[in-house]
Every structure is written in C-alpha cells, then in structure tokens.
Amino acid sequence: EEYLAHSLFIARNDPGRQFIYESLGENKSASILDIGCGPGIDILHFKELGFSNLSGTDPSSKLFNEVKSKINDVNLQIGEFEAIPFEDKSFDIATSRFAMHYTQNLDKAFIEVGRVLKDGGKIVFVVSYPFADSLEERDNDGDVIDSVFNKQVVVTFPLHKISDYFSETFLKLFSLEKIFEYTGHERDGYNDNIPNALCFVARKKQS
C-alpha cells in the first residue's frame, strides 16, 4: 500500500502518465480498459479524475487485490495484448503504459485492441522508444535488456521498429491523431538528448 501511494504521488509528475490523463477527454462516463495494468496505478488515478467505468487486464493477478481494495467495482481480468479477455466493442478508450513493447506480434495486438474498442473509440499508449531500445544491450535472442531504478528491475523485451507500431495493419484500423516523445528518468543510463518513451493517440476507424 505504501508503494502504491508513493507511485500515485510520482505519477502526477510523470510525462507519460500526464499524456494519458490529458488525452482521456471530458466524458466521465467513458468506458476505459487499461491493458497491462499491473498494480492499477493508472486505474486508481482514472478514478480520482472522475471516471467510474473502469476495467484492466494484466498477465499477472498478483497485484489485483491492491486495486480491488480501493475500487470495488473495477473489472480486472488476467490477459495480454494478443488475447484480451473482453467482448467485442466493449470500450470507448484503451490505455497502456510501458506494456505493449513486451508483445512479440504488434499487428495481432492492434487487431485485438481494435476488436474490443467501439467504433470511434481511441487508444492512448506509451511504449518504449525503438531508437533508444536499439542502443541497449541485447541477449542471445536479440531481445533488449533494460533496467530501471539503478538495476532494481531488469527486463527483456523484443526490439521493435517505429514501422512495427505504425504498420499497414495499424493504419487500416486506426487514424493516428497525436504523437509525443520524452525522456523518462527512471530508465538507467538515460540521455536527455535521446527520447526513450513514445506516446500516441489514435482513433478506431468505423468497421
């Protein structure tokens, strides 16, 4: 609980989270799905902002209880980008922060996101910046090795390209509305002259 409270505090100064919060819009009745929600830091802040129709999905349920202890009616399901456990056209908005780049098949992930979004719904995503990732160490499989908070957490994920995100599949499904880049300081070895985070908003086309 102390970790969660601290995370909620620093979230207010995190450029990626601020991008997400400012991109949600003013319709407080909008249904929001947070993909890769982890302990639910963003879901809790969505609640603070006045949104009430909230859902989340993550491959691990270990931290779900942290969210459920604070929001009784949040709908949390175990799942991942390539297999989102919700019905077609269920949500107005899909959000995600530093989760999508762990996905091997981005096209499949975007198809799944498009499936659960209503027509005209939007995605608000923050991902690891491909150019910064290309400068990192790789493992024997060619995956990026990254660490944050002075190597307290070390992770690996596939190396993607910008064109993997804004692929032909993506452009068939969505209209890109906004892009924002920034340098996150939680990542070890960050360079203020090289963005390491990519944020974007896109809207689902009519099916």
Side-chain angles (χ1 to χ4, degrees), residues 4-206:
L4 202 57
H6 176 67
S7 297
L8 282 167
F9 174 77
I10 64 173
R12 291 168 175 80
N13 299 310
D14 178 273
R17 285 197 159 106
Q18 289 304 312
F19 177 88
I20 291 175
Y21 303 155
E22 292 169 5
S23 299
L24 294 178
E26 298 300 322
N27 180 9
K28 302 302 182 183
S29 65
S31 51
I32 301 176
L33 172 64
D34 192 34
I35 307 171
C37 64
I41 293 167
D42 292 313
I43 291 175
L44 292 172
H45 197 68
F46 297 162
K47 183 74 170 180
E48 287 185 2
L49 291 173
F51 295 93
S52 58
N53 191 349
L54 302 171
S55 300
T57 184
D58 195 89
S60 173
S61 64
K62 287 190 295 184
L63 296 173
F64 280 2
N65 288 336
E66 293 282 358
V67 190
K68 289 182 176 179
S69 68
K70 297 181 183 300
I71 307 177
N72 294 327
D73 56 351
V74 64
N75 184 0
L76 300 174
Q77 302 290 336
I78 297 174
E80 55 191 26
F81 261 105
E82 293 166 296
I84 299 174
F86 290 97
E87 298 295 324
D88 295 1
K89 299 185 178 182
S90 295
F91 301 100
D92 298 299
I93 304 170
T95 63
S96 183
R97 178 182 177 276
F98 290 131
M100 191 175 207
H101 53 269
Y102 289 97
T103 301
Q104 289 284 348
N105 189 330
L106 294 181
D107 279 350
K108 186 175 180 180
F110 280 124
I111 290 170
E112 270 293 273
V113 175
R115 179 184 65 78
V116 300
L117 272 183
K118 299 174 185 177
D119 289 347
K122 66 181 175 182
I123 59 176
V124 186
F125 288 173
V126 180
V127 300
S128 192
Y129 203 102
F131 177 70
D133 295 341
S134 72
L135 304 177
E136 297 287 352
E137 182 183 354
R138 313 273 188 85
D139 66 14
N140 291 335
D141 295 322
D143 289 341
V144 177
I145 302 173
D146 193 17
S147 63
V148 295
F149 305 123
N150 295 318
K151 297 191 181 298
Q152 291 182 45
V153 179
V154 178
V155 296
T156 61
F157 53 86
L159 178 63
H160 297 296
K161 298 175 291 186
I162 289 284
S163 57
D164 294 333
Y165 287 102
F166 307 127
S167 65
E168 183 177 344
T169 296
F170 171 88
L171 294 173
K172 282 182 178 178
L173 293 168
F174 301 98
S175 297
L176 185 63
E177 294 188 344
K178 187 176 181 180
I179 291 180
F180 171 65
E181 305 164 338
Y182 73 95
T183 303
H185 290 182
E186 70 270 20
R187 190 168 181 169
D188 295 337
Y190 70 86
N191 182 333
D192 278 325
N193 295 315
I194 301 176
N196 58 22
L198 174 65
C199 315
F200 57 96
V201 177
R203 195 166 297 274
K204 181 185 173 183
K205 296 178 180 179
Q206 297 292 320

